[in-house]
């Protein structure tokens, strides 16, 4: 038990050290813009991350982790990233949130930080443009880091090949696209970085958006996050910009396996059963809903853009969803719950599990009607599925819905509409970031904590979260 705990601390330390190094980027931005107060806040955050990480790595030993230890690593990392990432918001508290108590200040900062690192994109900051440039950059960077699934990737990268890492990879929708976890890690970093540069160039040169805004929009878009570097997205939303951002959102929600096959020019492997279903799903849902709801006074293009934003769990928004119909809200709730592709930056339960669930219902009915010894294979494309795959999909779906329902009930105790509460909780759970307007500075602190927890659950998957809770209780 001690060895496993030591291995968890060691790996956690390495992750925090890498985060500390990454946070030097907004420090440089603060120096360039001469933002002295923000500079101090960012240096403190970077130093805290690196120092805590250095302490963990030097006072613990490497060791192979078991499944429970990996789950602990995943949850603890997000909690620490949230706390460390809250430092700039707390340090600049009065300028960002006004004069409030230290408890409220910390919760607000933790909420914003967690929303960034989990790629959720919900925010309680009403006026983003009052923030120092370096803090805006810090917000964007936290999403970019979270988008590559830093916790999952580091588990695969640092952990030795074992049953534990395989199980976590399956639960999280991650797999190897190279012969080793280390090779997979660097391949994903390369793909992710090239797309970041590519879409920044497109927004700057083709879309005509200034470089700083372009970089931060890409940080949000390619990570399917949602923080905006400006207050009003519609102000820059020309047809060209909308097209670039739409493609970027779809790229972000596409499996890295597909991107890897694209880069390797293995075109036959690109259009797997899941990916063909996903592309068709986007076209049909965005097109049909855009056409139908445009009759209520909103343009087809705007509706379709927001539907794609929900499908990819990006959270880019310039329409007031709170004023739309209950039918559209309900449909968007389902879309955010399903989410994007497995092994991508998108959140939600993942499209492959949705497909498995749909196919499993008639399969289960047929299986019940046949003799007990009858063999009734369930296939996804050409791949035969095990009953364990079906059971996992059903369990994750059931637990996810239960979590959303319970949290929504708590929201109604504070006087919020039940449907809007479900929408907001699902947006946090699916790390989608769209909002009906509930998430704002005056949201009661207990509800901010609930949303932050739902962000973590949605990002790491609910089973590792429950294992982590069991570990805490058993100690």
């Amino acid at each position: 038990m001690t060895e496993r705990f030591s291995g968890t601390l060691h790996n956690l330390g390495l992750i925090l050290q890498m985060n500390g190094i990454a946070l030097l980027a907004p420090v440089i931005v603060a120096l360039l813009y001469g933002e002295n107060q923000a500079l101090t806040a960012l240096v403190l955050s970077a130093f805290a991350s690196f120092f805590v990480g250095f302490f963990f790595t030097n006072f613990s030993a490497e060791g192979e982790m078991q499944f429970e230890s990996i789950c602990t690593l995943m949850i603890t990392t997000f909690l620490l990233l949230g706390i460390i990432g809250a430092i700039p918001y707390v340090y600049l508290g009065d300028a960002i949130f006004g004069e409030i108590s230290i408890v409220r200040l910390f919760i607000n900062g933790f909420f914003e930080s967690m929303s960034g690192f989990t790629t959720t994109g919900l925010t309680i900051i009403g006026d983003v443009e009052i923030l120092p440039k370096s803090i805006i950059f810090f917000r964007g960077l936290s999403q970019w880091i979270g988008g590559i699934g830093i916790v999952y990737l580091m588990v695969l990268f640092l952990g030795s090949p074992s049953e534990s890492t395989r199980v976590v990879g399956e639960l999280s929708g991650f797999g190897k696209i190279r012969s080793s976890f280390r090779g997979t890690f660097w391949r994903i970093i390369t793909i992710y970085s090239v797309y970041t540069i590519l879409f920044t160039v497109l927004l700057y040169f083709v879309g005509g958006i200034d470089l700083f805004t372009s970089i931060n929009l890409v940080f949000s878009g390619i990570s399917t996050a949602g923080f905006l570097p400006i207050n009003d997205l519609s102000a820059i939303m020309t047809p060209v910009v909308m097209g670039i951002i739409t493609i970027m959102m779809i790229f972000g929600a596409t499996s890295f396996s597909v991107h890897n096959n694209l880069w390797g020019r293995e075109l036959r492997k690109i259009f797997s059963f899941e990916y063909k279903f996903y592309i068709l799903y986007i076209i049909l849902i965005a097109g049909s809903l855009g056409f139908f709801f445009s009759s209520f006074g909103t343009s087809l293009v705007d509706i379709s853009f927001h539907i794609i934003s929900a499908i990819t769990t990006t959270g880019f928004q310039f329409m007031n969803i709170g004023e739309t119909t209950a039918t559209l809200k309900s449909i968007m709730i389902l879309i955010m719950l399903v989410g994007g592709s497995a092994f991508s930056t998108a959140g939600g339960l993942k499209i492959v599990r949705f497909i498995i669930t749909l196919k499993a219902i008639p399969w289960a009915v047929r299986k019940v009607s046949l003799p007990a010894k009858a063999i009734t294979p369930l296939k996804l494309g050409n791949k035969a599925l095990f009953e364990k795959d079906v059971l996992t999909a059903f369990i994750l779906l059931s637990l996810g819905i239960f979590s959303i329902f319970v949290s929504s009930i708590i929201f109604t105790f504070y006087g919020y509409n039940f449907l809007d509460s479900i929408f907001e909780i699902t947006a946090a759970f699916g790390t989608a970031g769209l909002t009906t307007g509930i998430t704002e500075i005056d949201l009661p602190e207990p509800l901010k904590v609930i949303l932050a927890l739902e962000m973590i659950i949605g990002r790491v998957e609910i089973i590792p979260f429950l294992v982590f809770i069991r570990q805490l209780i058993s100690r």
Side-chain angles (χ1 to χ4, degrees):
M1 185 72 178
T2 304
E3 274 185 29
R4 293 202 298 267
F5 185 66
S6 180
T8 301
L9 284 181
H10 187 84
N11 289 331
L12 176 58
L14 290 175
I15 295 171
L16 292 178
Q17 283 182 319
M18 290 187 65
N19 181 65
I21 294 171
L23 291 183
L24 294 177
V27 168
I28 295 172
V29 174
L31 285 170
L32 291 174
Y33 283 95
E35 298 168 344
N36 295 330
Q37 190 177 12
L39 174 64
T40 303
L42 292 167
V43 167
L44 286 173
S45 185
F47 176 78
S49 187
F50 191 83
F51 177 78
V52 174
F54 180 82
F55 179 83
F56 284 163
T57 53
N58 282 272
F59 291 92
S60 59
E62 292 186 61
E64 182 177 333
M65 296 185 298
Q66 301 302 312
F67 176 68
E68 292 81 2
S69 302
I70 295 175
C71 291
T72 300
L73 171 65
M74 294 162 68
I75 306 298
T76 306
T77 300
F78 267 117
L79 289 173
L80 282 177
L81 287 176
I83 293 170
I84 291 169
I87 292 174
Y89 299 109
V90 174
Y91 191 88
L92 301 172
D94 290 348
I96 299 175
F97 304 115
E99 293 186 12
I100 54 177
S101 68
I102 188 64
V103 174
R104 290 190 62 198
L105 183 59
F106 174 77
I107 291 175
N108 287 347
F110 180 77
F111 179 92
E112 286 292 318
S113 175
M114 191 59 67
S115 187
F117 282 111
T118 58
T119 72
T120 304
L122 286 171
T123 181
I124 54 176
I125 299 175
D127 186 359
V128 175
E129 294 175 14
I130 67 168
L131 298 176
K133 294 285 189 181
S134 54
I135 298 300
I136 293 175
F137 187 86
F138 164 75
R139 283 158 58 84
L141 183 64
S142 69
Q143 297 172 115
W144 194 87
I145 293 171
I148 58 173
I150 184 172
V151 176
Y152 311 120
L153 291 172
M154 290 307 296
V155 165
L156 298 176
F157 175 59
L158 297 168
S160 58
S162 65
E163 182 66 14
S164 299
T165 52
R166 186 191 66 78
V167 171
V168 172
E170 287 183 357
L171 285 174
S172 305
F174 281 81
K176 289 192 293 185
I177 55 178
R178 281 291 184 265
S179 59
S180 66
F181 288 126
R182 185 185 296 269
T184 296
F185 176 79
W186 290 115
R187 182 65 164 179
I188 290 172
I189 289 292
T190 302
I191 293 172
Y192 199 59
S193 299
V194 170
Y195 284 152
T196 300
I197 295 170
L198 172 63
F199 283 107
T200 299
V201 169
L202 287 174
L203 285 176
Y204 180 65
F205 288 103
V206 181
I209 301 174
D210 68 88
L211 184 59
F212 183 82
T213 303
S214 295
I215 291 172
N216 284 281
L217 280 174
V218 173
F219 277 162
S220 288
I222 201 65
S223 62
T224 63
F227 277 159
L228 292 173
I230 54 177
N231 289 330
D232 185 9
L233 184 60
S234 64
I236 60 170
M237 198 59 82
T238 64
V240 172
V241 171
M242 183 177 286
I244 294 172
I245 290 178
T246 300
I247 294 171
M248 178 170 59
M249 291 191 297
I250 295 173
F251 265 52
T254 296
S255 169
F256 279 111
S257 296
V258 173
H259 290 303
N260 184 58
N261 291 330
L262 177 63
W263 280 41
R265 295 187 293 276
E266 299 182 64
L267 302 182
R268 291 182 180 178
K269 293 183 180 180
I270 292 175
F271 292 101
S272 62
F273 179 83
E274 178 195 356
Y275 194 56
K276 285 189 288 188
F277 182 94
Y278 189 54
I279 294 300
L280 185 63
Y281 169 69
I282 291 174
I283 294 171
L284 290 179
I285 297 295
S288 59
L289 291 181
F291 178 78
F292 178 78
F293 286 101
S294 62
S295 60
F296 290 89
T298 306
S299 77
L300 183 151
V301 174
D302 289 353
I303 290 286
S304 297
F305 177 85
H306 282 78
I307 293 298
I308 294 174
S309 182
I311 290 174
T312 59
T313 71
T314 305
F316 281 154
Q317 175 182 352
F318 56 83
M319 187 175 72
N320 190 338
I321 296 176
E323 295 180 356
T324 59
T325 66
T327 304
L328 180 58
K329 290 179 188 176
S330 300
I331 294 172
M332 292 183 77
I333 287 170
L334 293 174
I335 291 171
M336 290 188 295
L337 180 64
V338 172
S341 298
F343 200 15
S344 73
T345 65
L349 293 172
K350 307 299 185 295
I351 193 72
V352 67
R353 291 175 186 146
F354 176 64
I355 299 171
I356 291 173
T357 302
L358 290 180
K359 292 177 71 68
I361 294 173
W363 171 79
V365 172
R366 186 171 66 254
K367 189 175 178 64
V368 168
S369 64
L370 293 173
K373 294 184 179 180
I375 299 175
T376 54
L378 176 63
K379 290 189 174 183
L380 188 63
N382 296 321
K383 179 183 176 183
L385 299 175
F386 296 102
E387 291 190 15
K388 182 196 72 172
D389 299 317
V390 178
L391 183 61
T392 299
F394 271 110
I395 288 175
L396 289 172
L397 177 63
S398 301
L399 290 177
I401 291 175
F402 178 76
S403 171
I404 291 169
F405 180 78
V406 171
S407 296
S408 300
I409 291 293
I410 296 174
F411 266 60
T412 61
F413 292 157
Y414 285 81
Y416 291 101
N417 175 279
F418 185 59
L419 180 61
D420 288 351
S421 298
I422 292 179
F423 189 101
E424 215 76 7
I425 295 294
T426 306
F429 177 86
T431 68
L434 295 171
T435 179
T436 58
I438 287 179
T439 303
E440 43 90 29
I441 189 65
D442 292 326
L443 182 71
E445 272 55 48
L447 302 188
K448 292 174 186 172
V449 173
I450 289 174
L451 284 176
L453 288 175
E454 289 288 351
M455 294 174 196
I456 298 174
I457 293 171
R459 188 73 251 184
V460 305
E461 304 284 357
I462 195 165
I463 290 179
F465 183 82
L466 292 176
V467 171
F468 172 74
I469 296 298
R470 188 187 67 186
Q471 288 287 98
L472 286 181
I473 294 174
S474 63
R475 288 171 189 241

